[in-house]
Amino acid sequence: MALRALWLLRHDPAAGGAVLFSRRYPTVEVRAETFNGSTHVPIPSDSAFLKALLLELRLLDEHVFVEQRDTCTRINHSCVHSVSTAAGQLWPVLAFRRSGLIYACVPLVEGTLEPRPPLLTVSGLSQGLALLLGIMDYVSPSRKNEAELSSKVGQLRNLLIQACPLGTPLNTNIRSLNSSFEDIQEMPADKEQPAWRSSTYKGKPQVHVCITEKVKCMQYDQRDVVDTWQVYGAVNCKCDIEGSAPNVTLSLTLPTNAPPLQDIVVHHCVTSVDPAMLLSTSADPLHDSVYNGPYKFPFIPPSDSFDLCYYTSQIPVPPILGCYQLIEEGSQIKITVNLKLHESIKNSFEYCEARIPFFNRGPIAQLEYKVSYGQLDLSREKSLLVWVIGQKFPRSLEVSLTGTVTFGTAGKEHPTDYVCTGNTAYVKLYFRIPDFTLTGCYVDQHCVRIFVPGKPKITASRELISSDYYIWNSKAPAPMVYKPLLD
């Protein structure tokens, strides 16, 4: 479980791309040459890698058809990419983009690259993802402050010496590390204390667990296009427990007949796990790999907050069903939005709103509307309608919005979009439901076992949050990028 190289990149549509930080591990590269043999592809220069990755992520030449990237046989549903370099296809490249920054690394594959091994067998992927998420968590709070961002990027090299010595991730919680060598404490004398447990706690034992599920959805309300949705979960833990290497066992519980958890990735502090749990995948619906539990995780917790595991699940229906119709009549546009909360969903939101953007048009000059529930607001730029539904749906669980919109003359300051041309448009939902998960997954406080003296205090919470929840105009062609491949 090692990394050949990692990068922190910046992408600005106006200024282009830049390498903020890079780190290579020559000893791991020598191992890669040995393991990969004739299929080995060396790491390119930073500038060459930046250009190749931006091309792969469609951030460069996005309006040009590039066969190696845009062919239908290369639709990518994960953040693992194959990047074209002068020496060949560099794989696997783990990369994702957040707030204008791109986090990327190349894990070591201990074997030949042809044919490509299944992703589940590349152990460095989960370690690399955890490290990149740790770097993102460390860097992201300073994203809007250029001076603070530059300072944190400058400290990354010292931090990674502690977090990932010689290319092996040991502590993915970058925030918990010291950026100065002068502040680095000596290694603990207790040989049982793992490297990721950087300090010991004194006090009453406490364990905090939070399950966060995010639901993604694409609804079209069209006969020839299939609606898609999926839920992604993360179990975050904070364990304040005395001892150099305390043992904790946490179990996730599902209701009877609930869909199983799949694509489970665990933190490296987990000491043992049923292999069948890790093999349960959603990538191949016909694969006989369904694992129905128990979902038990014994681990030695890090000192700070961490994500114990990630998972996905195939839920039978989306939480909110919607229909959006946008029809152009002369100089006006008529819109209709109908939303229905599924009866199985908890009707208690922290917030719930539907945002209706209008791209490639002028400002909204005139608006006439009627809502059955909630209130409708117009953004300051007059290019976005915000329908605030509030904290509950009505007793019928259905709400509707109808309206007529007239636009003024378009200017350079008004938003444009290359997908939403003509009448292709969408409604995007934003909501959060506390104390609820779509899978029904929860942590039974009586099933958390801590092998230390004293009675621990255990708190557990859960939440459901929308993420990329789109409802597309059913009266216009659906974007090709979201259409499934038809046989």
Side-chain angles (χ1 to χ4, degrees), residues 241-242 246-249 449-453:
I241 307 172
E242 291 187 357
N247 289 293
V248 180
T249 298
R449 301 178 63 189
I450 305 176
F451 302 93
V452 294

Side-chain angles (χ1 to χ4, degrees), residues 121-141:
T121 64
V122 183
S123 56
L125 284 173
S126 59
Q127 291 278 56
L129 177 61
L131 182 63
L132 292 181
L133 290 173
I135 294 175
M136 182 185 72
D137 184 56
Y138 171 73
V139 170
S140 59

Side-chain angles (χ1 to χ4, degrees), residues 308-319:
L308 176 65
C309 68
Y310 303 94
Y311 62 84
T312 67
S313 184
Q314 303 290 333
I315 55 174
V317 291

Side-chain angles (χ1 to χ4, degrees), residues 242-265:
E242 291 187 357
S244 58
N247 289 293
V248 180
T249 298
L250 183 148
S251 297
L252 300 180
T253 305
L254 291 176
T256 306
N257 298 326
L261 306 184
Q262 297 176 309
D263 307 317
I264 297 175
V265 177

Side-chain angles (χ1 to χ4, degrees), residues 4-7 21-26 157 160-161 164 166:
R4 296 167 60 187
L6 63 85
W7 295 266
F21 176 84
S22 69
R23 183 74 169 90
R24 296 159 185 267
Y25 297 97
R157 189 166 298 278
L160 286 175
I161 290 177
C164 189
L166 300 177

Side-chain angles (χ1 to χ4, degrees), residues 217-485:
C217 187
M218 294 285 176
Q219 297 183 40
Y220 303 96
D221 193 29
Q222 294 186 15
R223 186 173 297 178
D224 62 333
V225 185
V226 179
D227 295 346
T228 61
W229 58 87
Q230 190 168 30
V231 62
Y232 302 80
V235 181
N236 183 269
C237 297
K238 177 70 167 70
C239 301
D240 296 324
I241 307 172
E242 291 187 357
S244 58
N247 289 293
V248 180
T249 298
L250 183 148
S251 297
L252 300 180
T253 305
L254 291 176
T256 306
N257 298 326
L261 306 184
Q262 297 176 309
D263 307 317
I264 297 175
V265 177
V266 300
H267 192 275
H268 57 76
C269 71
V270 176
T271 54
S272 64
V273 69
D274 189 333
M277 184 192 303
L278 302 181
L279 293 175
S280 181
T281 174
S282 62
D284 185 358
L286 301 179
H287 191 270
D288 186 20
S289 61
V290 176
Y291 179 83
N292 292 303
Y295 303 97
K296 185 178 293 185
F297 304 91
F299 59 96
I300 300 175
S303 306
D304 294 281
S305 175
F306 69 102
D307 288 328
L308 176 65
C309 68
Y310 303 94
Y311 62 84
T312 67
S313 184
Q314 303 290 333
I315 55 174
V317 291
I320 299 178
L321 294 168
C323 175
Y324 178 36
Q325 294 184 354
L326 182 150
I327 302 174
E328 199 161 355
E329 295 184 355
S331 60
Q332 294 181 331
I333 282 182
K334 291 189 175 182
I335 61 171
T336 302
V337 183
N338 295 310
L339 302 176
K340 181 177 181 179
L341 180 68
H342 193 269
E343 58 187 12
S344 65
I345 306 302
K346 180 181 178 182
N347 190 9
S348 179
F349 295 77
E350 179 180 313
Y351 58 85
C352 181
E353 64 182 38
R355 299 184 184 181
I356 310 171
F358 297 97
F359 298 103
N360 310 312
R361 303 179 187 272
I364 295 176
Q366 186 176 353
L367 171 64
E368 297 178 1
Y369 68 91
K370 179 181 179 181
V371 291
S372 65
Y373 196 79
Q375 67 181 49
L376 189 67
D377 298 326
L378 176 62
S379 69
R380 183 179 302 177
E381 298 80 12
K382 296 186 177 181
S383 59
L384 173 70
L385 296 179
V386 180
W387 182 11
V388 180
I389 298 169
Q391 297 180 330
K392 277 183 177 293
F393 274 67
R395 184 172 298 180
S396 65
L397 302 181
E398 298 183 24
V399 293
S400 62
L401 160 67
T402 57
T404 302
V405 185
T406 305
F407 297 92
T409 305
K412 293 183 179 180
E413 69 278 9
H414 295 101
T416 59
D417 188 274
Y418 295 104
V419 174
C420 296
T421 58
N423 288 347
T424 298
Y426 63 80
V427 174
K428 189 174 183 180
L429 300 188
Y430 295 81
F431 58 83
R432 177 182 181 270
I433 306 178
D435 194 29
F436 180 80
T437 53
L438 269 181
T439 60
C441 182
Y442 67 96
V443 174
D444 187 344
Q445 298 182 14
H446 300 290
C447 294
V448 179
R449 301 178 63 189
I450 305 176
F451 302 93
V452 294
K455 186 177 181 180
K457 179 182 178 182
I458 300 172
T459 58
S461 61
R462 54 183 184 164
E463 62 181 355
L464 174 66
I465 302 175
S466 64
S467 173
D468 296 335
Y469 205 107
Y470 292 93
I471 301 171
W472 291 90
N473 178 22
S474 62
K475 297 297 184 180
M480 289 300 296
V481 67
Y482 297 113
K483 278 193 175 183
L485 293 177

